Amino acid sequence: MSAAESAHLPIDPLAALADPEAPLATVLRAVREAEAQHADLPVVRFGLSASVVTDLLATMLQRRSLLAATRADVTQGALGAHLENLDAFAAAGVRHACVVLSLDAVMPAFEERAATAGEPLMAAVEQRVRQELALIAERAPAFATLHLGLFHRLTPQVCTATSEAADRAVARLNAVVVEAASAPGVQTLDVAAALAAVGIDRAVDNRVRFRFGAPYSARACDEIARRVVGATRAGGTYLRKALVLDCDGTLWGGIVGEDGPEGIRLDPNQYPGSTFWSVQHQLVALQQQGVLLCLASKNNPEDVAEVFANHPAMVLRPEHLILSEVGWHEKGESIERIAATLGIGLDSVVFVDDSPYELEAVRARLPDVTLVRVPAEAWAWPSAFGAVAELFTTGRSQDADADKTSQYRALAAAKSAEAGAGDRATFLATLELRVRLGVDVAEQVERISELTQKSNQFNLTTRRYGVGEIAHAMADPNRRVVSLSVSDRFADHGLTGVIVLRLDAPVCTVEAFLLSCRVLGRDVEMAPWQVVCALARDAGCSTIRATFRPTRKNAQVAPFWPAVGLVPIGDEADGTTFEADLSTTALCPPPHHLEALCDH
């Protein structure tokens, strides 16, 4: 059959996009057809500025976005004109900007000349790069994320003086990139790692590199796009929080119910135990980054508890786990209980198991859960686990994530105490709840941005803010960013709420209000409004205005604005607007069972 004939055969677009071996022509066709068939998917706007031709990268951003259940609207800038491109992207409403740098754009034949260029020339190149990157970083507040590509070689690294000099020169320039990426809202994009994952011989096409200035192959562009879409969580459309793990065949080799706790394979010096031991180290690293680790295992609870508590080779310990559902009930049922106890959606859960039967049973019952199968061969598991870690990618680690396990464990303890209190009022009265309000606290910028990306259930507008956008809002004299930090007798829950205000007298507009699911059900949402009213009046505002924009997940907050004291004034295409006259209306005071403090 000819290529022309095969081009007219029907295809499943999403299946074709998921096929790593799909020819480029098939991918191009599948992108067109998938976007036409799934026009209702949320649109994520990317801006692509590059020093080399990257038409294929734009296509692959569309491909990877479709596989993440979004549609990418990609705006490509002029070749090498990064500052002008970023300004144009911002004006056009682009949310996620990518800047791909090229060594040859900095100095032609950079890799070949690095050994003989001399220090004065290299110092001048470094200074020029530093100046341009500083100007690029200044534009970060206009975007939710600004991905700044690290410099990377396009030729194989070999043991010659010329190649080693090129490596040193690239490292020198990348230190400047990392320096620029320390600015709020900027993330580095490791293009070299993407090329290495593909293999440099397959990633770089010298034929089109030298003839047309387009060095990256379709495979390389696809890998770069996969990393960008993952780092942005498909433009903030999803967030995974909990990793639920099977035990036998996942955390150790063998079956603890048959082999006994002492007979499972977990010896770090002997295969296959060494592979599971390695994976457990990766799991602890994820837990320390804020991922919630849970168990859902069909086993005798006593056997599993014995392994975790006393097996000498166990890296994971009880303190690393937040919930354990070990017994003989269905794993789908266990996962449902875990999500309900943590107060998170099922689409925030990843479940890992070695049994295709168990995975299919969970898929049939809970289609929103992300499923991962452990490889059949144990030696493949440590490498395959990298794909699991990528599911929780945030682009930049957050220090505030480190204590998530203890915070959610406190949440579970509070739920248990509430169940034993008899009634809600009695429970709240004994909770010793305290809400501390901060206004434009610069040290909280990254955590506030992260919370706007994560919160879905109690979120009145579901507006997402990048780190740079929050920093910009704090610096704007006509805006305020109010944070809510919550503690009770069980734990300090940290920063768990955000209000963003726009103060355009005579109207104070609530751009965003959201709370973490960890503090729902305690009336925390009623605590900040007298402070908000004071901020509005101080800015000369006499009216407060807010909007509720419904989503699939935030139906519970539909009655919120009337409960605060605002009245509806009209419906818009995407929601309902509410208002209150600050001269005649007193918004609700903090509930009596909590103490509200303001640091402003």
Side-chain angles (χ1 to χ4, degrees), residues 200-217:
I200 195 69
D201 292 334
R202 301 174 71 193
V204 177
D205 188 336
N206 280 324
R207 179 177 60 87
V208 291
R209 173 193 174 193
F210 289 108
R211 292 181 66 190
F212 306 112
Y216 307 126
S217 68

Side-chain angles (χ1 to χ4, degrees), residues 26 54 59 193 291 383 397-398 418 466:
T26 300
T54 53
T59 297
V291 176
S383 297
S397 63
Q398 304 287 349
E418 182 176 6

